Amino acid sequence: MVQRIGAAGAELVPISGTQPDLLNRSEVAQALEREYPPRLRDQGISGTTRVTVLVTETGRVEQVEVSESSGHPVLDQAAVRVAQG
């Protein structure tokens, strides 16, 4: 699955199969707010980072990697931290 995480929230896009459900959307939104780099926020800089998330059958995040950079490494790192959480 590819998870797009932006200032407005997370969007899940399956690589294959059925569309997954994000059951903790409000928690993800709070994590995005917490992890968004203050320096970029203050400068009005935003972007979209696409991350690939491997989730086990029990729902544990096993692997997260950036599949498409926002162009801002610090923003990409924040997206990975949110996806890991």
Side-chain angles (χ1 to χ4, degrees):
M1 131 183 59
V2 175
Q3 185 171 10
R4 295 184 193 134
I5 301 178
E11 176 186 355
L12 299 176
V13 181
I15 291 175
S16 63
T18 60
Q19 175 71 30
D21 291 324
L22 182 59
L23 302 177
N24 62 341
R25 192 169 298 275
S26 64
E27 291 174 27
V28 171
Q30 290 171 357
L32 288 167
E33 184 67 29
R34 195 173 49 249
E35 294 293 334
Y36 204 93
R39 181 174 48 93
L40 296 182
R41 182 184 296 124
D42 293 347
Q43 294 175 4
I45 296 173
S46 64
T48 299
T49 301
R50 294 182 186 193
V51 294
T52 301
V53 181
L54 177 61
V55 180
T56 66
E57 289 180 3
T58 61
R60 185 176 62 83
V61 174
E62 189 168 292
Q63 181 180 348
V64 178
E65 62 182 52
V66 174
S67 55
E68 186 176 321
S69 174
S70 66
H72 303 281
V74 109
L75 193 56
D76 296 344
Q77 293 164 2
V80 167
R81 284 193 304 274
V82 170
Q84 289 171 331

